[in-house]
Amino acid sequence: MPNRPHPRRWSIAILLGVGVLVNYFDRVNLSVSYDVLTKEFGLSTIAFGYLLSAYSWSYALCQIPAGALLDRFGVKIVGRCSTLIWSLASVASAVSVGARAFFGSRLLLGVGEAPTFPGNAKAIGKWFPENERGLATATFDAAAKFASAIGVPVMGLLLVHAGWRWTFAATGMASFAYFLAFTAIYRDPDEEELPAAVEVQQASIAELLGERKVVGLAIGSAAYNYCFYLLLTWLPAYLALTLHLNLLQSVWYTSIPWLVATVTDLVVGGWMVDALIRRGFDASRVRQSVLIGGTLLGVLIFAAGTATTPWAAVFWISVSLGGLAAAAPVGWSVPGLIAPPGGVGRVGGIMNFFSQVAAISAPIVTGYAVSRTHSFKAAFWLAAGLLAIGIAAYGILLGRIERIGAAE
Protein backbone atom coordinates (compact mmCIF):
# COMPACT_ATOMS: atom_id res chain seq x y z
CA MET A 1 0.00 0.00 0.00
CA PRO A 2 1.49 3.37 -0.98
CA ASN A 3 2.18 5.97 1.73
CA ARG A 4 -0.35 8.40 0.27
CA PRO A 5 -3.87 7.20 -0.62
CA HIS A 6 -4.30 6.59 -4.34
CA PRO A 7 -6.42 9.29 -6.04
CA ARG A 8 -8.47 6.70 -7.97
CA ARG A 9 -9.43 4.65 -4.93
CA TRP A 10 -13.05 5.86 -4.66
CA SER A 11 -13.76 5.24 -8.33
CA ILE A 12 -12.59 1.67 -7.76
CA ALA A 13 -14.87 1.35 -4.69
CA ILE A 14 -17.83 2.55 -6.76
CA LEU A 15 -16.97 0.09 -9.55
CA LEU A 16 -16.95 -2.77 -7.05
CA GLY A 17 -20.26 -1.54 -5.64
CA VAL A 18 -21.85 -1.57 -9.09
CA GLY A 19 -20.66 -5.16 -9.51
CA VAL A 20 -22.33 -6.24 -6.28
CA LEU A 21 -25.50 -4.38 -7.27
CA VAL A 22 -25.65 -6.31 -10.54
CA ASN A 23 -24.89 -9.72 -9.08
CA TYR A 24 -27.53 -9.27 -6.39
CA PHE A 25 -30.07 -8.54 -9.11
CA ASP A 26 -29.13 -12.05 -10.30
CA ARG A 27 -29.98 -13.41 -6.85
CA VAL A 28 -33.24 -11.61 -6.04
CA ASN A 29 -34.90 -12.20 -9.42
CA LEU A 30 -35.59 -15.79 -8.35
CA SER A 31 -37.15 -14.82 -5.02
CA VAL A 32 -39.92 -12.78 -6.71
CA SER A 33 -40.72 -15.63 -9.14
CA TYR A 34 -42.14 -18.07 -6.57
CA ASP A 35 -45.70 -18.29 -7.95
CA VAL A 36 -44.70 -18.32 -11.61
CA LEU A 37 -41.88 -20.86 -11.39
CA THR A 38 -43.66 -23.27 -9.04
CA LYS A 39 -46.47 -23.43 -11.62
CA GLU A 40 -44.15 -23.45 -14.66
CA PHE A 41 -41.99 -26.30 -13.37
CA GLY A 42 -44.53 -28.00 -11.07
CA LEU A 43 -42.50 -27.39 -7.90
CA SER A 44 -43.58 -27.76 -4.28
CA THR A 45 -42.64 -25.25 -1.59
CA ILE A 46 -39.85 -27.57 -0.45
CA ALA A 47 -38.56 -28.04 -4.01
CA PHE A 48 -38.54 -24.27 -4.51
CA GLY A 49 -36.46 -23.98 -1.34
CA TYR A 50 -33.88 -26.28 -2.94
CA LEU A 51 -33.96 -24.21 -6.11
CA LEU A 52 -33.38 -21.04 -4.08
CA SER A 53 -30.34 -22.65 -2.49
CA ALA A 54 -28.79 -24.07 -5.69
CA TYR A 55 -26.74 -20.94 -6.32
CA SER A 56 -25.22 -21.15 -2.85
CA TRP A 57 -24.07 -24.76 -3.27
CA SER A 58 -21.52 -24.02 -5.97
CA TYR A 59 -20.84 -20.56 -4.51
CA ALA A 60 -19.83 -22.16 -1.20
CA LEU A 61 -17.72 -24.91 -2.75
CA CYS A 62 -15.78 -22.34 -4.79
CA GLN A 63 -15.03 -19.94 -1.93
CA ILE A 64 -11.75 -21.37 -0.69
CA PRO A 65 -10.43 -22.12 -4.21
CA ALA A 66 -11.47 -18.61 -5.26
CA GLY A 67 -9.57 -17.12 -2.32
CA ALA A 68 -6.45 -19.07 -3.26
CA LEU A 69 -6.76 -17.96 -6.91
CA LEU A 70 -7.14 -14.34 -5.83
CA ASP A 71 -4.00 -14.54 -3.71
CA ARG A 72 -2.13 -16.17 -6.60
CA PHE A 73 -3.34 -14.23 -9.68
CA GLY A 74 -4.88 -11.06 -8.26
CA VAL A 75 -8.26 -9.35 -8.45
CA LYS A 76 -8.00 -8.16 -12.05
CA ILE A 77 -7.58 -11.54 -13.77
CA VAL A 78 -9.92 -13.53 -11.52
CA GLY A 79 -12.52 -10.75 -11.59
CA ARG A 80 -12.67 -10.69 -15.37
CA CYS A 81 -13.18 -14.44 -15.59
CA SER A 82 -15.83 -14.51 -12.89
CA THR A 83 -17.93 -11.67 -14.30
CA LEU A 84 -18.02 -13.32 -17.72
CA ILE A 85 -19.14 -16.65 -16.23
CA TRP A 86 -21.95 -15.12 -14.18
CA SER A 87 -23.17 -13.20 -17.27
CA LEU A 88 -23.48 -16.46 -19.22
CA ALA A 89 -25.24 -18.12 -16.27
CA SER A 90 -27.92 -15.43 -16.15
CA VAL A 91 -28.64 -15.84 -19.85
CA ALA A 92 -28.79 -19.61 -19.37
CA SER A 93 -31.50 -19.16 -16.74
CA ALA A 94 -33.57 -17.10 -19.17
CA VAL A 95 -33.56 -19.84 -21.83
CA SER A 96 -33.96 -22.85 -19.50
CA VAL A 97 -36.59 -25.31 -20.70
CA GLY A 98 -37.06 -27.24 -17.47
CA ALA A 99 -36.35 -27.32 -13.76
CA ARG A 100 -33.11 -29.30 -14.17
CA ALA A 101 -31.68 -26.87 -16.73
CA PHE A 102 -32.71 -23.96 -14.53
CA PHE A 103 -31.08 -25.60 -11.51
CA GLY A 104 -27.89 -26.04 -13.53
CA SER A 105 -27.83 -22.39 -14.54
CA ARG A 106 -28.07 -21.38 -10.88
CA LEU A 107 -25.13 -23.66 -10.04
CA LEU A 108 -23.10 -21.94 -12.77
CA LEU A 109 -24.09 -18.55 -11.38
CA GLY A 110 -22.63 -19.55 -8.02
CA VAL A 111 -19.33 -20.49 -9.66
CA GLY A 112 -19.14 -17.16 -11.47
CA GLU A 113 -19.98 -14.98 -8.48
CA ALA A 114 -17.85 -16.88 -5.92
CA PRO A 115 -14.80 -14.56 -6.09
CA THR A 116 -16.84 -11.35 -5.76
CA PHE A 117 -16.75 -10.64 -2.02
CA PRO A 118 -13.30 -12.10 -1.23
CA GLY A 119 -12.00 -10.22 -4.28
CA ASN A 120 -13.63 -6.99 -3.18
CA ALA A 121 -12.17 -7.34 0.32
CA LYS A 122 -8.74 -7.91 -1.19
CA ALA A 123 -9.12 -4.94 -3.56
CA ILE A 124 -10.17 -2.60 -0.73
CA GLY A 125 -7.13 -3.75 1.26
CA LYS A 126 -4.90 -2.80 -1.68
CA TRP A 127 -6.49 0.53 -2.51
CA PHE A 128 -7.44 2.02 0.88
CA PRO A 129 -5.69 2.91 4.15
CA GLU A 130 -7.17 1.25 7.25
CA ASN A 131 -8.99 4.38 8.45
CA GLU A 132 -11.02 4.52 5.20
CA ARG A 133 -11.84 0.85 4.81
CA GLY A 134 -15.15 1.02 6.69
CA LEU A 135 -16.85 3.31 4.19
CA ALA A 136 -15.02 1.73 1.25
CA THR A 137 -16.26 -1.72 2.28
CA ALA A 138 -19.75 -0.35 2.93
CA THR A 139 -19.78 1.01 -0.63
CA PHE A 140 -19.92 -2.48 -2.06
CA ASP A 141 -21.68 -4.19 0.86
CA ALA A 142 -24.53 -1.65 0.90
CA ALA A 143 -25.02 -2.34 -2.80
CA ALA A 144 -26.21 -5.84 -1.84
CA LYS A 145 -28.97 -4.32 0.28
CA PHE A 146 -29.82 -1.59 -2.23
CA ALA A 147 -30.06 -4.23 -4.99
CA SER A 148 -32.75 -5.98 -2.96
CA ALA A 149 -34.53 -2.68 -2.23
CA ILE A 150 -34.82 -1.69 -5.87
CA GLY A 151 -34.31 -5.07 -7.53
CA VAL A 152 -37.31 -6.78 -5.96
CA PRO A 153 -39.89 -4.18 -7.13
CA VAL A 154 -38.18 -3.73 -10.52
CA MET A 155 -38.04 -7.49 -11.12
CA GLY A 156 -41.60 -7.80 -9.85
CA LEU A 157 -42.84 -5.23 -12.35
CA LEU A 158 -40.84 -6.83 -15.15
CA LEU A 159 -42.22 -10.24 -14.18
CA VAL A 160 -45.81 -8.99 -14.28
CA HIS A 161 -45.49 -7.12 -17.57
CA ALA A 162 -42.95 -9.17 -19.55
CA GLY A 163 -42.74 -12.64 -17.97
CA TRP A 164 -40.15 -14.43 -15.86
CA ARG A 165 -37.72 -15.13 -18.71
CA TRP A 166 -37.21 -11.42 -19.31
CA THR A 167 -36.26 -10.84 -15.67
CA PHE A 168 -33.33 -13.23 -16.11
CA ALA A 169 -32.48 -11.93 -19.58
CA ALA A 170 -32.34 -8.39 -18.20
CA THR A 171 -29.91 -9.36 -15.43
CA GLY A 172 -27.83 -11.25 -17.99
CA MET A 173 -27.47 -8.14 -20.14
CA ALA A 174 -26.64 -6.00 -17.10
CA SER A 175 -24.04 -8.56 -16.00
CA PHE A 176 -22.33 -8.56 -19.40
CA ALA A 177 -22.26 -4.76 -19.39
CA TYR A 178 -20.50 -4.91 -16.02
CA PHE A 179 -18.00 -7.44 -17.38
CA LEU A 180 -17.07 -4.93 -20.09
CA ALA A 181 -16.81 -2.09 -17.54
CA PHE A 182 -14.69 -4.11 -15.10
CA THR A 183 -12.36 -5.22 -17.90
CA ALA A 184 -11.91 -1.65 -19.08
CA ILE A 185 -11.52 0.05 -15.67
CA TYR A 186 -10.14 -2.20 -12.93
CA ARG A 187 -6.40 -2.21 -12.35
CA ASP A 188 -4.35 -2.91 -9.23
CA PRO A 189 -2.77 0.21 -7.62
CA ASP A 190 0.65 -0.73 -9.00
CA GLU A 191 0.46 -2.81 -12.18
CA GLU A 192 4.16 -3.55 -11.98
CA GLU A 193 3.64 -5.54 -8.79
CA LEU A 194 2.73 -9.17 -9.39
CA PRO A 195 0.53 -10.41 -6.51
CA ALA A 196 2.33 -13.74 -6.31
CA ALA A 197 5.70 -12.05 -5.95
CA VAL A 198 4.71 -9.32 -3.48
CA GLU A 199 2.29 -11.23 -1.26
CA VAL A 200 4.30 -14.15 0.06
CA GLN A 201 1.99 -16.85 1.36
CA GLN A 202 2.90 -17.58 4.97
CA ALA A 203 -0.04 -19.70 6.14
CA SER A 204 -1.87 -22.60 4.52
CA ILE A 205 -5.65 -23.05 4.48
CA ALA A 206 -5.31 -25.69 7.22
CA GLU A 207 -3.23 -23.35 9.38
CA LEU A 208 -5.71 -20.51 8.94
CA LEU A 209 -8.60 -22.83 9.88
CA GLY A 210 -6.75 -23.51 13.13
CA GLU A 211 -6.65 -19.83 14.05
CA ARG A 212 -9.15 -18.80 16.74
CA LYS A 213 -9.83 -15.44 15.11
CA VAL A 214 -10.59 -17.00 11.72
CA VAL A 215 -12.96 -19.53 13.33
CA GLY A 216 -14.77 -16.78 15.27
CA LEU A 217 -15.12 -14.66 12.14
CA ALA A 218 -16.42 -17.64 10.15
CA ILE A 219 -19.06 -18.61 12.75
CA GLY A 220 -20.28 -15.04 13.21
CA SER A 221 -20.44 -14.48 9.46
CA ALA A 222 -22.37 -17.73 8.96
CA ALA A 223 -24.96 -16.67 11.55
CA TYR A 224 -25.35 -13.30 9.82
CA ASN A 225 -25.69 -14.90 6.40
CA TYR A 226 -28.31 -17.41 7.54
CA CYS A 227 -30.65 -14.60 8.55
CA PHE A 228 -29.67 -12.50 5.53
CA TYR A 229 -30.47 -15.30 3.06
CA LEU A 230 -33.69 -16.23 4.84
CA LEU A 231 -34.87 -12.69 4.14
CA LEU A 232 -33.27 -12.43 0.70
CA THR A 233 -34.96 -15.58 -0.57
CA TRP A 234 -38.22 -15.82 1.39
CA LEU A 235 -39.30 -12.30 2.36
CA PRO A 236 -41.66 -11.69 -0.60
CA ALA A 237 -43.20 -15.14 -0.11
CA TYR A 238 -43.51 -14.56 3.67
CA LEU A 239 -45.49 -11.37 3.08
CA ALA A 240 -47.66 -13.05 0.45
CA LEU A 241 -48.31 -16.34 2.26
CA THR A 242 -48.59 -15.11 5.87
CA LEU A 243 -50.09 -11.65 5.42
CA HIS A 244 -51.99 -12.40 2.19
CA LEU A 245 -50.49 -9.67 0.04
CA ASN A 246 -50.51 -9.88 -3.74
CA LEU A 247 -47.27 -9.95 -5.76
CA LEU A 248 -46.94 -6.21 -6.29
CA GLN A 249 -47.85 -5.39 -2.67
CA SER A 250 -45.32 -7.90 -1.32
CA VAL A 251 -42.44 -6.63 -3.48
CA TRP A 252 -43.08 -3.00 -2.48
CA TYR A 253 -43.24 -3.88 1.22
CA THR A 254 -40.10 -5.99 0.76
CA SER A 255 -38.16 -2.97 -0.48
CA ILE A 256 -38.58 -1.02 2.79
CA PRO A 257 -36.32 -3.12 5.07
CA TRP A 258 -33.67 -3.26 2.33
CA LEU A 259 -33.68 0.52 2.00
CA VAL A 260 -33.23 0.82 5.78
CA ALA A 261 -30.38 -1.68 5.54
CA THR A 262 -28.71 0.32 2.77
CA VAL A 263 -28.68 3.44 4.95
CA THR A 264 -27.40 1.74 8.12
CA ASP A 265 -24.75 -0.11 6.12
CA LEU A 266 -23.31 3.12 4.68
CA VAL A 267 -23.88 5.46 7.63
CA VAL A 268 -23.16 3.25 10.64
CA GLY A 269 -21.00 0.43 9.35
CA GLY A 270 -19.14 2.69 6.94
CA TRP A 271 -18.99 6.42 7.67
CA MET A 272 -19.44 6.30 11.48
CA VAL A 273 -16.83 3.57 12.02
CA ASP A 274 -14.23 5.47 9.98
CA ALA A 275 -15.11 8.78 11.64
CA LEU A 276 -14.67 7.38 15.16
CA ILE A 277 -11.36 5.75 14.27
CA ARG A 278 -10.05 8.98 12.72
CA ARG A 279 -10.98 10.82 15.94
CA GLY A 280 -8.68 8.56 17.93
CA PHE A 281 -11.05 5.92 19.32
CA ASP A 282 -9.59 2.43 19.59
CA ALA A 283 -10.13 0.88 16.15
CA SER A 284 -10.74 -2.66 17.38
CA ARG A 285 -13.19 -1.54 20.05
CA VAL A 286 -15.16 0.56 17.56
CA ARG A 287 -15.39 -2.27 15.06
CA GLN A 288 -16.30 -4.88 17.67
CA SER A 289 -18.99 -2.62 19.16
CA VAL A 290 -20.69 -2.19 15.78
CA LEU A 291 -20.20 -5.85 14.83
CA ILE A 292 -21.76 -7.17 18.06
CA GLY A 293 -24.31 -4.38 18.53
CA GLY A 294 -25.62 -4.70 14.99
CA THR A 295 -25.88 -8.48 15.25
CA LEU A 296 -27.72 -8.09 18.57
CA LEU A 297 -30.36 -5.98 16.82
CA GLY A 298 -30.57 -8.73 14.23
CA VAL A 299 -31.84 -11.12 16.93
CA LEU A 300 -35.10 -9.15 16.94
CA ILE A 301 -36.07 -11.03 13.76
CA PHE A 302 -37.97 -13.38 16.08
CA ALA A 303 -40.60 -10.67 16.63
CA ALA A 304 -41.60 -10.80 12.95
CA GLY A 305 -42.93 -14.30 13.55
CA THR A 306 -45.82 -12.93 15.61
CA ALA A 307 -46.61 -9.91 13.43
CA THR A 308 -50.24 -9.71 12.31
CA THR A 309 -50.05 -6.71 9.97
CA PRO A 310 -47.71 -5.89 7.07
CA TRP A 311 -46.45 -2.75 8.82
CA ALA A 312 -45.62 -4.60 12.05
CA ALA A 313 -43.74 -7.23 10.05
CA VAL A 314 -41.85 -4.59 8.08
CA PHE A 315 -40.94 -2.71 11.28
CA TRP A 316 -39.35 -5.70 13.02
CA ILE A 317 -37.64 -6.92 9.87
CA SER A 318 -36.29 -3.41 9.23
CA VAL A 319 -34.84 -3.21 12.76
CA SER A 320 -33.26 -6.65 12.43
CA LEU A 321 -31.93 -6.18 8.93
CA GLY A 322 -30.79 -2.64 9.67
CA GLY A 323 -28.67 -3.89 12.56
CA LEU A 324 -27.19 -6.72 10.53
CA ALA A 325 -26.41 -4.35 7.68
CA ALA A 326 -24.52 -2.01 10.02
CA ALA A 327 -22.38 -4.96 11.13
CA ALA A 328 -21.78 -6.33 7.62
CA PRO A 329 -19.10 -3.92 6.29
CA VAL A 330 -17.18 -4.32 9.53
CA GLY A 331 -17.28 -8.08 9.02
CA TRP A 332 -15.97 -7.77 5.49
CA SER A 333 -13.17 -5.44 6.56
CA VAL A 334 -11.90 -7.99 9.10
CA PRO A 335 -10.11 -10.36 6.64
CA GLY A 336 -7.86 -7.51 5.54
CA LEU A 337 -7.14 -6.60 9.17
CA ILE A 338 -6.43 -10.04 10.65
CA ALA A 339 -4.97 -12.02 7.73
CA PRO A 340 -1.22 -12.69 7.54
CA PRO A 341 0.61 -11.18 4.54
CA GLY A 342 -0.62 -12.67 1.28
CA GLY A 343 -3.59 -14.34 2.95
CA VAL A 344 -6.48 -11.87 2.63
CA GLY A 345 -8.12 -13.77 -0.22
CA ARG A 346 -7.91 -17.08 1.62
CA VAL A 347 -9.24 -15.70 4.91
CA GLY A 348 -12.07 -14.04 2.98
CA GLY A 349 -12.71 -17.32 1.17
CA ILE A 350 -12.84 -19.29 4.43
CA MET A 351 -15.20 -16.73 5.94
CA ASN A 352 -17.48 -16.78 2.91
CA PHE A 353 -17.42 -20.59 2.63
CA PHE A 354 -19.00 -20.93 6.07
CA SER A 355 -21.33 -18.05 5.26
CA GLN A 356 -22.55 -19.84 2.15
CA VAL A 357 -23.11 -23.11 3.97
CA ALA A 358 -25.56 -21.07 6.04
CA ALA A 359 -26.95 -19.52 2.86
CA ILE A 360 -27.58 -23.01 1.46
CA SER A 361 -29.34 -24.08 4.65
CA ALA A 362 -31.57 -21.04 5.17
CA PRO A 363 -33.94 -21.39 2.17
CA ILE A 364 -34.14 -25.18 2.50
CA VAL A 365 -34.78 -25.25 6.25
CA THR A 366 -37.30 -22.42 5.87
CA GLY A 367 -39.08 -24.32 3.09
CA TYR A 368 -39.47 -27.38 5.32
CA ALA A 369 -40.53 -25.29 8.32
CA VAL A 370 -43.19 -23.38 6.39
CA SER A 371 -44.46 -26.52 4.66
CA ARG A 372 -44.93 -28.35 7.95
CA THR A 373 -46.09 -25.54 10.25
CA HIS A 374 -47.74 -23.20 7.71
CA SER A 375 -45.97 -20.39 9.53
CA PHE A 376 -42.65 -18.53 9.46
CA LYS A 377 -42.48 -18.27 13.26
CA ALA A 378 -40.15 -21.25 13.77
CA ALA A 379 -37.91 -20.09 10.91
CA PHE A 380 -37.48 -16.64 12.46
CA TRP A 381 -36.80 -18.03 15.94
CA LEU A 382 -34.11 -20.34 14.55
CA ALA A 383 -32.44 -17.39 12.82
CA ALA A 384 -32.47 -15.44 16.09
CA GLY A 385 -30.86 -18.35 17.94
CA LEU A 386 -28.08 -18.66 15.36
CA LEU A 387 -27.37 -14.93 15.61
CA ALA A 388 -26.96 -15.31 19.37
CA ILE A 389 -24.29 -17.96 18.70
CA GLY A 390 -22.67 -15.58 16.21
CA ILE A 391 -22.46 -12.84 18.85
CA ALA A 392 -20.66 -15.24 21.20
CA ALA A 393 -18.22 -16.19 18.42
CA TYR A 394 -17.40 -12.55 17.68
CA GLY A 395 -16.85 -11.72 21.32
CA ILE A 396 -15.00 -14.83 22.53
CA LEU A 397 -13.19 -16.26 19.49
CA LEU A 398 -12.58 -13.29 17.19
CA GLY A 399 -11.84 -10.97 20.10
CA ARG A 400 -9.59 -8.03 19.37
CA ILE A 401 -9.50 -7.19 15.65
CA GLU A 402 -5.81 -7.18 14.83
CA ARG A 403 -3.45 -9.14 12.62
CA ILE A 404 -3.04 -12.79 13.60
CA GLY A 405 0.07 -13.13 15.76
CA ALA A 406 0.24 -9.38 16.54
CA ALA A 407 -0.28 -9.93 20.25
CA GLU A 408 2.06 -12.92 20.46
Side-chain angles (χ1 to χ4, degrees):
M1 184 74 210
N3 292 328
R4 297 180 62 185
H6 199 290
R8 291 187 58 235
R9 65 195 186 283
W10 288 108
S11 64
I12 293 297
I14 292 170
L15 174 70
L16 299 177
V18 171
V20 171
L21 185 76
V22 172
N23 77 31
Y24 266 81
F25 283 166
D26 290 331
R27 305 184 199 193
V28 301
N29 56 7
L30 182 58
S31 68
V32 302
S33 306
Y34 171 80
D35 285 334
V36 175
L37 290 181
T38 51
K39 293 174 183 176
E40 175 95 7
F41 297 141
L43 302 174
S44 66
T45 300
I46 292 173
F48 190 72
Y50 277 98
L51 187 61
L52 285 169
S53 74
Y55 158 89
S56 295
W57 295 10
S58 53
Y59 189 89
L61 289 173
C62 290
Q63 283 305 303
I64 293 176
L69 288 172
L70 285 162
D71 285 339
R72 174 65 180 85
F73 297 106
V75 176
K76 182 176 74 172
I77 294 174
V78 177
R80 289 178 180 180
C81 295
S82 71
T83 52
L84 180 59
I85 292 170
W86 98 52
S87 303
L88 296 174
S90 295
V91 174
S93 294
V95 299
S96 296
V97 294
R100 289 183 179 179
F102 194 95
F103 190 89
S105 73
R106 299 300 288 184
L107 291 175
L108 183 62
L109 182 67
V111 174
E113 294 190 357
T116 302
F117 273 76
N120 287 2
K122 187 175 181 70
I124 294 302
K126 279 179 167 289
W127 281 92
F128 286 84
E130 288 190 14
N131 64 1
E132 290 184 347
R133 289 183 192 174
L135 185 57
T137 303
T139 301
F140 73 78
D141 190 76
K145 284 73 177 178
F146 189 59
S148 300
I150 63 171
V152 171
V154 168
M155 293 302 159
L157 289 171
L158 192 59
L159 177 68
V160 169
H161 295 291
W164 70 268
R165 293 188 186 277
W166 276 105
T167 67
F168 292 93
T171 57
M173 291 185 281
S175 297
F176 187 72
Y178 179 71
F179 160 71
L180 296 177
F182 185 89
T183 300
I185 297 171
Y186 187 84
R187 300 290 186 274
D188 286 325
D190 186 347
E191 288 281 45
E192 283 73 46
E193 293 182 358
L194 296 176
V198 174
E199 298 182 358
V200 179
Q201 295 185 5
Q202 296 185 350
S204 67
I205 295 292
E207 288 170 332
L208 290 171
L209 285 169
E211 292 287 348
R212 176 176 56 83
K213 289 183 181 296
V214 175
V215 173
L217 176 63
I219 294 173
S221 180
Y224 157 84
N225 222 35
Y226 185 95
C227 189
F228 180 83
Y229 266 82
L230 187 163
L231 296 173
L232 185 72
T233 55
W234 279 105
L235 184 51
Y238 158 68
L239 293 170
L241 296 173
T242 303
L243 301 172
H244 311 295
L245 303 180
N246 62 37
L247 175 63
L248 289 180
Q249 288 174 325
S250 68
V251 297
W252 285 113
Y253 275 108
T254 294
S255 69
I256 296 171
W258 293 111
L259 284 172
V260 172
T262 303
V263 173
T264 59
D265 197 307
L266 286 168
V267 175
V268 180
W271 173 82
M272 190 185 80
V273 167
D274 285 349
L276 290 173
I277 292 171
R278 281 196 296 268
R279 291 184 182 184
F281 288 87
D282 181 83
S284 175
R285 192 167 296 173
V286 169
R287 291 184 175 113
Q288 270 285 31
S289 296
V290 173
L291 194 60
I292 292 176
T295 308
L296 187 60
L297 286 176
V299 173
L300 294 176
I301 188 65
F302 77 87
T306 58
T308 57
T309 67
W311 283 112
V314 166
F315 172 80
W316 288 113
I317 292 170
S318 295
V319 172
S320 173
L321 193 55
L324 293 174
V330 176
W332 267 112
S333 71
V334 171
L337 297 167
I338 71 170
V344 177
R346 283 169 295 143
V347 172
I350 291 169
M351 167 186 166
N352 218 22
F353 169 76
F354 285 95
S355 295
Q356 295 311 311
V357 170
I360 292 168
S361 304
I364 295 174
V365 171
T366 302
Y368 276 106
V370 173
S371 179
R372 293 183 178 181
T373 67
H374 305 289
S375 168
F376 280 79
K377 185 175 181 179
F380 289 151
W381 272 93
L382 175 59
L386 292 174
L387 288 172
I389 294 172
I391 291 169
Y394 283 144
I396 298 170
L397 296 176
L398 175 60
R400 185 167 179 81
I401 300 173
E402 59 188 2
R403 198 161 305 283
I404 291 170
E408 296 176 0

